[in-house]
């Protein structure tokens, strides 16, 4: 695997407890916390505890236990927040940026969960 994980990235520091966070959920392999610059009334970041850079890295290198834990955590967070469209909630968007084209800022895999307002169509034109 060609990915070099930077252990000094900000989410690694959050996982080590060096930087505070507003935790939404913690499981064996996953941490979820509030985004520091929310783009919607609900903006949660979900990260694996393991050292994965982005979605494809996680999907190909993580253990089955990590992947199941992470995926179920997203479902449980959406249920806890009452935003599941199938349960009468308003719905949400998940986003996982990877690399330069997607303007990924933090090189530790994370899924954004956004909700609480109309989110518009999927993509805007780049500036
Ligand atoms: P991305 O562009 O997908 O890499 O998104 C990185 C996200 O991390 C942005 O939405 C930031 O607001 C968020 N972020 C950066 N530092 C922190 C932090 N210390 N606590 C919570 N969220 C953060």
């Amino acid at each position: 695997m060609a990915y070099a994980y930077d252990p000094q990235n900000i989410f690694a520091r959050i996982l080590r407890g060096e930087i505070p966070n507003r935790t939404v959920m913690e499981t064996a392999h996953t941490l979820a916390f509030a985004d520091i610059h929310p783009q919607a009334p609900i903006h949660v970041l979900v990260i694996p505890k393991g050292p994965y850079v982005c979605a494809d890295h996680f999907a190909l290198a993580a253990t089955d236990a990590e992947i199941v834990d992470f995926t179920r955590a997203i479902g449980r967070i959406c249920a806890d927040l009452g935003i599941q469209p199938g349960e009468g909630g308003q719905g949400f968007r998940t986003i996982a940026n990877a690399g330069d084209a997607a303007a990924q800022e933090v090189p530790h895999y994370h899924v954004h969960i956004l909700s609480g307002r109309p989110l518009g169509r999927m993509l805007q034109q780049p500036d």
Side-chain angles (χ1 to χ4, degrees):
M1 189 67 62
Y3 286 107
Y5 180 80
D6 171 12
Q8 295 310 320
N9 80 75
I10 197 144
F11 293 171
R13 299 185 62 201
I14 285 175
L15 285 167
R16 289 196 296 270
E18 295 167 8
I19 294 175
N21 74 91
R22 286 178 41 220
T23 299
V24 172
M25 178 177 289
E26 182 166 8
T27 67
H29 298 293
T30 305
L31 180 68
F33 53 92
D35 195 292
I36 203 166
H37 293 127
Q39 304 297 310
I42 293 173
H43 189 168
V44 175
L45 298 173
V46 189
I47 70 173
K49 292 182 177 177
Y52 305 106
V53 174
C54 53
D56 59 296
H57 189 200
F58 181 71
L60 295 174
T63 65
D64 290 2
E66 288 174 307
I67 292 170
V68 169
D69 185 279
F70 186 81
T71 305
R72 294 260 192 257
I74 291 174
R76 284 177 48 211
I77 291 162
C78 292
D80 289 354
L81 294 172
I83 57 176
Q84 297 162 286
E87 298 290 338
Q90 64 185 285
F92 58 91
R93 179 172 293 152
T94 53
I95 298 174
N97 295 311
D100 293 342
Q104 181 180 4
E105 263 177 48
V106 181
H108 181 113
Y109 177 44
H110 51 283
V111 169
H112 300 253
I113 301 175
L114 296 148
S115 186
R117 67 168 172 81
L119 295 166
R121 299 216 21 115
M122 187 165 61
L123 291 176
Q124 295 177 336
Q125 292 301 316
D127 296 329

